[in-house]
Amino acid sequence: MKDIRILFAGNPNVGKTTLFNSICGVHQHTGNYPGVTVEIKTGKRQINGHSIIVSDLPGTYSLSAFTPDEQVARDALLSSGPDVVIQIIDATNIERNLFLTTQLMEIGLPMVIALNMCDLADEQGMTIDADCLERNLKIPVVRIVARKGEGVEELIKTIIQVSTHKTPAVHRAVEYPHSVTSHISEIGNYLSAHASLLGSLSPHYAAIRLMEGDEHLEKMLHEKGCTIPFIDTTDPAERDGIAEDILLARYKISEEITTCSVQCSMGRVMPGDLIDQVLTHRLFGIPIFLSCMWFAFQLTFSASNPFIVGIEYIFGYFTELMNSVDMDPLIRSFLSDGVIGGVGSVLVFVPSIFVMFLLLSILEDTGYLARAAFVMDRLMHSVGLHGRSFIPFLIGFGCNVPAIMATRTLQSRADRIITIITIPFMSCAARLPVYVLFAGVFFGAAAGNVIFFLYVLGIVVAILSALIFRRLVFKDEPSPFIMELPPYRKPSGFAAAVHMWFKGREYLKRAGLVIFGGVIVVWALATLPAGVEYGSADSLVGIIGQVFQPVFAPLGFNWQLVVGLIFGFIAKEVVVGSLGTLYGGEEMLESSLAADPTLHPIIALAYMVFVLLYLPCVAALGVIRQEMGTWKWTGIAIGWGIFVAYVFAFIIVHVGSLFIGA
Amino acid sequence: MNNTTYPHQYLYGWTGIVTLTTGIAGIISIREGAGIGTGLFIPDIPGGCILLLIAALFATAVIKGRTDRPGWISFSYIGALLLVVFAGCAILVETGNFLTLIMEGEEAHLLTIVSSSFIWAAILAIPLLAGVSKLLYGCSCGGDCCE
Amino acid sequence: MVPLSLTKSGEKVVVRSICGTGHLAKTLGQLGIIIGIELTIIQKAKESVIVRIGESRYALGAGAASMVLVEPRK
Ligand SMILES: Nc1nc2c(ncn2[C@@H]2O[C@H](COP(=O)(O)OP(=O)(O)OP(=O)(O)O)[C@@H](O)[C@H]2O)c(=O)[nH]1
Ligand SMILES: [Mg+2]
């Protein structure tokens, strides 16, 4: 049987990824705000001998595509030639969703509509006549509840049925006013002569897209040396008028179909609106957000502490066990310094990271995240950032990589570049072990405050960088803020826990590969050349460290710390991993750090600040390159990070030693 | 205010009481943090500030409630919700600290778990939350409380 | 006609005109903020607003809110 290739299209936040997860049995990221998915994810499902290849697209309001994530969706829809397009529609908001349907219908591909969130529609007392929708659109409509998996099997059956139809798909046509149709047929006729330039688009459809103002298509045709009558000759105002007529025609048909198929008690006040009046309040909005953050921070550290102590016990037990068993000294060194010392030092912090993922996922599911972006917009705007950048920033506290990807939801390139440059200053979960270790050893009871200070410092540096780049480099205003606010939903503890588990498992896998690998390399370098004292200045790692150490001498870092920084580039956890390897194992790490005469609190603070600010890890670097598109900006982003890190660490060491000296 | 009929009248009055208790709890926390308290509660200056913020939300609810009933409902709902959720967090945080101390073999008092002033303020807010959330959803289903 | 940034919270208004063309106006258009549509102002924080159209809520920053000219609904 032939593979059936299908695309999941639809407005943002209608549950495309939830359906994708339920069909393909995977756990892609979902969240209750627009713009969660920003790249195409593909999965597979075998059923009755058919193999269905599903691609989940980023959400989009229309095919005009002003942001990179929408462009990804548009390109997939227009040029990948799928067998069936599935539009997922939010049943509680059919009218707005149908606007996209009117655009998708015209592409001419076979379609199926999945009417999602039927549970919510029922709850809100809406009755939806799916048959009426089906008749009016001439597209099969299936009711589903993606979150519970209801109706999914029927949807698959319908998809298979539609894909095996031999006749080409004929959907309801949008009725344009005469002024529009005459232009469409004129351009369409002209384009039929150049059909080879259009790829898989039909000339008629290409004409509509051009009239609607598809800059992408227009540019492509121009590049191929095609001048289009009407488009190139008429003045922009008239073209805008026509584009507007098309828009209105689309809304007219959406409204018409909605009125006939949906009955609901409109005009009531939603509880969400009342809640919004408080949470987005002019005065209370920001303090409320800050207090939530404060408790999230407290929970991350205090609630996970007992687990951390427990894991420390387990590793202590292993170390003792190993010391009591007779074995080859090289193997013993590998196990106690390399495995337990390196990987163990990192694994100890896993509970904190799990709690942080849990809280972030709850925050994403309630719908509050989008409100926080709105509340912060004015502040962000005044430092030269787009309000929407706030969402990538918050995601960045978990991991910088998805945060950098999330900048795809920003319209203007300047906004994107500035946001990407500043995201690495958001202290990701991988940096946490460094802080907890150093703050715990050198600051004792004040450790919590020091860690909080580091998070705040990261934000302050991000703000300063944004100001500098906006004022000195781009010299324009951030583009205006427009964002859909999702409805509030009660977060489900279970869903959040599942989410945390998969995120956490990914983290553990990484710990198993990257961190383990990095630590093994450090251990091997510390053991070689043969016969040298383990981890001494004469070992290979000592030599490497000493070569770079002079660069960091003004900051007071010893060579072990420098080795940590160098290998920390692989992943920031490796900083602690390699220090654990070099300083005699998980058990010994804290006491030997405290005993090292070359270290004192000021240097420890400078080191933490340096780790916070310097280089993102290799993974983040790769994504920065991918999203920036040029090496120039990638280089600027990295260089800026190192420069800022060095300057801040330098200031801390020198100002701090004034106090200590006094 | 002719529209505060039974049983909302009591709920409205209760908002006033909760405003006071939350405010007092906040001040106690801050005083403990500054070292001039009784030692009965956990010193927590940021926590105290958050309590004062919530008290300000309740106060706004009381003031709004005189003319604008949905305003009262929304402000007291969010205030109570935040208070109860934060109190839950406070219990978790203190339990975490308590267990850590025990596991590290240090002295710890079980009572510290419940000596955050959040908890006491929150207990008083629970009836308010229950009552107001009913009204809030009542509003959304076309109830009589709005307009 | 006044810009959306000068309305009051709780008002119901009708969109009369959208200033400017560009991407921003088109973005508003694809969200359903078009001439003749009815909006409810849910929140007003300085110049920024949250509006409701049917079942969708949109947050508009000061820049976007000043582009939408509205009239109170009679
Ligand atoms: N009640 C209910 N909620 C649902 C249903 N389907 C999805 N959701 C919720 O809707 C939210 C959005 O789901 P996603 O799958 O992330 O939406 P998406 O369409 O992929 O969104 P983008 O990637 O941003 O375009 C999540 O919080 C889901 O839990 C459903 O059938 N019923
Ligand atoms: Mg998605």
Side-chain angles (χ1 to χ4, degrees), chain A residues 12-18 30-31 35-37 59 116 119 145-147 489:
Chain A
N13 204 37
V14 294
K16 297 179 293 299
T17 308
T18 313
T30 63
V36 181
T37 312
N116 192 20
D119 53 337
V145 180
R147 197 146 77 175
R489 301 216 173 96

Side-chain angles (χ1 to χ4, degrees), chain A residues 641-660:
Chain A
I642 296 178
F643 171 74
V644 170
Y646 203 95
V647 168
F648 271 82
F650 190 85
I651 294 174
I652 285 173
V653 166
H654 288 265
V655 174
S657 55
L658 286 184
F659 284 100
I660 289 226

Side-chain angles (χ1 to χ4, degrees), chain A residues 266-274 277, chain B residues 70 136-142 146-147, chain C residues 12 52:
Chain A
M266 287 285 284
R268 64 225 148 83
V269 180
M270 314 267 282
D273 295 353
L274 284 176
Q277 275 164 16
Chain B
L136 184 77
Y137 287 98
C139 264
S140 60
C141 299
C146 307
E147 292 170 307
Chain C
K12 289 195 165 61
R52 187 141 96 88

Side-chain angles (χ1 to χ4, degrees), chain A residues 78-236:
Chain A
L78 293 187
S79 43
S80 75
D83 294 312
V84 188
V85 174
I86 322 299
Q87 189 191 356
I88 291 86
I89 285 188
D90 177 353
T92 60
N93 194 356
I94 289 189
E95 187 169 342
R96 215 262 325 273
N97 282 251
L98 283 179
F99 178 77
L100 181 65
T101 315
T102 63
Q103 291 194 322
L104 293 176
M105 287 186 315
E106 285 174 339
I107 302 178
L109 291 166
M111 274 182 77
V112 174
I113 285 179
L115 204 55
N116 192 20
M117 313 232 185
C118 286
D119 53 337
L120 292 181
D122 289 344
E123 212 172 272
Q124 296 177 10
M126 293 182 169
T127 37
I128 297 158
D129 184 351
D131 293 332
C132 169
L133 266 180
E134 191 165 324
R135 269 196 316 278
N136 270 299
L137 292 166
K138 303 201 183 110
I139 297 172
V141 177
V142 184
R143 287 167 184 272
I144 60 166
V145 180
R147 197 146 77 175
K148 301 187 191 121
E150 284 168 27
V152 172
E153 294 311 313
E154 199 195 327
L155 177 67
I156 294 177
K157 252 187 246 149
T158 317
I159 291 171
I160 293 175
Q161 220 171 48
V162 169
S163 72
T164 46
H165 270 309
K166 295 283 171 290
T167 46
V170 181
H171 308 306
R172 158 103 181 237
V174 183
E175 298 103 31
Y176 297 113
H178 180 71
S179 58
V180 178
T181 42
S182 61
H183 286 301
I184 290 175
S185 54
E186 183 190 335
I187 300 178
N189 285 340
Y190 175 78
L191 287 177
S192 345
H194 299 75
S196 59
L197 297 182
L198 295 174
S200 57
L201 302 187
S202 78
H204 177 75
Y205 179 61
I208 298 177
R209 296 227 40 83
L210 285 172
M211 300 293 304
E212 223 175 349
D214 184 334
E215 291 158 16
H216 180 78
L217 183 62
E218 201 179 318
K219 219 172 102 205
M220 190 193 87
L221 287 175
H222 271 211
E223 273 164 12
K224 292 182 177 168
C226 184
T227 42
I228 311 135
F230 183 75
I231 296 288
D232 290 331
T233 49
T234 332
D235 77 302

